[in-house]
Amino acid sequence: MIPFQRKNRSDLIFEKLHEMIRAGHWNPGERFPTELELTKLFNVGRSTVREALNHLKSFNVIHVVPGHGTFITETPSLEPNILSRHIPDGTTAQELFNIIEFRICLEPSTAYLAAERVRQDQKKKLLSTAGAVDNEDLTPSEFAETDISFHIFLAEITGNPLCIESMRSLHKIFYKQQFVTSLISARKKAAAQSHIAIAKAVAEHNPKTAEKEMRAHLYDTRNLLEKIVRETALQETVYLAEREKL
């Protein structure tokens, strides 16, 4: 079966907190509980709480005021992103393919625009973060977050607020697909090589090459998903066949 079938703890905490905010448990502008307070409330680790808080931030439900804490936004986005309804909690193979196909429609054009508009001060960060996913110490979750941050930064380079907000709001959806593909060990090095090729094209103001490299990167990801689906389906078939022998 394709991994990521069940909600993880951070998703459950995110949903509970989001539900509490919708119900008016905290008012707009009111201080939100700290990470430590939430770890005690839900009896989980800080990394789990931090991930749930990041999801709330991506929905613009909470915001951080440096030196003062976290607060409920004055006009919180109480409704989940409309696209998230198409990615149920039990992610299936078809839903994963829907995600990567959507990315193929969206991100090559983002890379093209980024190559046209990249500023000198953005190039260093782009090139330094491009290969960050090539790290064997990264957990699947850390790989997914690191990978997605590169793609979000490309959207930020475009300077187009619609591109930027679209990529940020799709963070949770993309995370599921990235988590699954990260389970293949060779993925990290391949992803890093693709990111570097994209980053170089963008830094050199070569939009056509940036678009081409991004499309190739996403098609490689789709091929990897197909491989995972074939192998997991085969494993399930073998398992069922063995059960029949018992």
Side-chain angles (χ1 to χ4, degrees):
M1 305 296 286
I2 293 297
F4 216 96
Q5 290 292 330
R6 299 178 180 178
K7 296 180 183 179
N8 58 36
R9 287 181 294 178
S10 65
D11 285 335
L12 293 171
I13 293 171
F14 160 75
E15 291 176 2
K16 180 60 178 177
L17 291 173
H18 199 266
E19 178 185 333
M20 293 171 72
I21 294 170
R22 287 166 59 91
H25 192 83
W26 296 282
N27 296 317
E30 188 175 345
R31 184 188 294 273
F32 198 64
T34 65
E35 281 187 11
L36 183 58
E37 290 170 336
L38 291 173
T39 59
K40 293 178 179 178
L41 176 64
F42 292 104
N43 192 29
V44 295
R46 296 189 71 166
S47 61
T48 300
V49 167
R50 190 173 298 119
E51 190 170 342
L53 293 177
N54 285 336
H55 290 330
L56 289 174
K57 291 174 190 174
S58 69
F59 284 122
N60 195 33
V61 173
I62 61 174
H63 67 282
V64 176
V65 179
H68 295 279
T70 302
F71 297 83
I72 303 295
T73 58
E74 294 295 338
T75 55
S77 175
L78 296 179
E79 294 301 324
N81 186 282
I82 190 170
L83 293 176
S84 65
R85 72 183 64 176
H86 299 292
I87 312 295
D89 296 311
T91 306
T92 66
Q94 185 56 57
E95 287 152 8
L96 292 172
F97 284 123
N98 289 343
I99 295 170
I100 192 61
E101 286 173 359
F102 180 73
R103 295 184 65 192
I104 290 170
C105 293
L106 175 68
E107 294 194 66
S109 296
T110 300
Y112 187 104
L113 196 58
E116 287 187 325
R117 300 181 177 180
V118 64
R119 302 192 311 265
Q120 191 64 36
D121 63 301
Q122 294 172 321
K123 293 180 181 180
K124 183 177 180 180
K125 178 181 177 181
L126 179 65
L127 293 169
S128 65
T129 59
V133 290
D134 188 11
N135 181 346
E136 291 303 318
D137 293 331
L138 291 178
T139 65
S141 177
E142 290 169 340
F143 170 87
E145 294 289 352
T146 303
D147 192 301
I148 293 168
S149 66
F150 171 77
H151 290 268
I152 290 177
F153 186 54
L154 282 174
E156 292 173 351
I157 289 173
T158 69
N160 185 310
L162 294 176
C163 292
I164 297 168
E165 290 306 315
S166 293
M167 285 298 295
R168 287 176 179 170
S169 64
L170 291 168
H171 173 277
K172 186 178 179 183
I173 296 175
F174 289 178
Y175 175 90
K176 296 184 178 184
Q177 175 254 297
Q178 298 284 34
F179 186 98
V180 171
T181 53
S182 73
L183 299 176
I184 301 295
S185 58
R187 171 63 176 164
K188 294 176 180 177
K189 185 171 291 296
Q193 291 172 343
S194 293
H195 285 186
I196 291 170
I198 294 165
K200 286 183 177 178
V202 170
E204 294 169 0
H205 296 279
N206 193 331
K208 290 185 178 180
T209 301
E211 181 181 41
K212 177 183 176 182
E213 292 291 350
M214 178 64 80
R215 183 170 284 108
H217 172 50
L218 296 173
Y219 273 113
D220 285 344
T221 302
R222 189 177 71 171
N223 292 338
L224 184 59
L225 276 175
E226 290 175 348
K227 181 176 184 290
I228 293 172
V229 169
R230 285 196 304 270
E231 290 181 352
T232 53
L234 177 61
Q235 290 169 5
E236 180 68 10
T237 300
V238 171
Y239 169 73
L240 293 175
E242 291 298 323
R243 281 189 61 185
E244 289 298 319
K245 294 178 181 179
L246 300 177

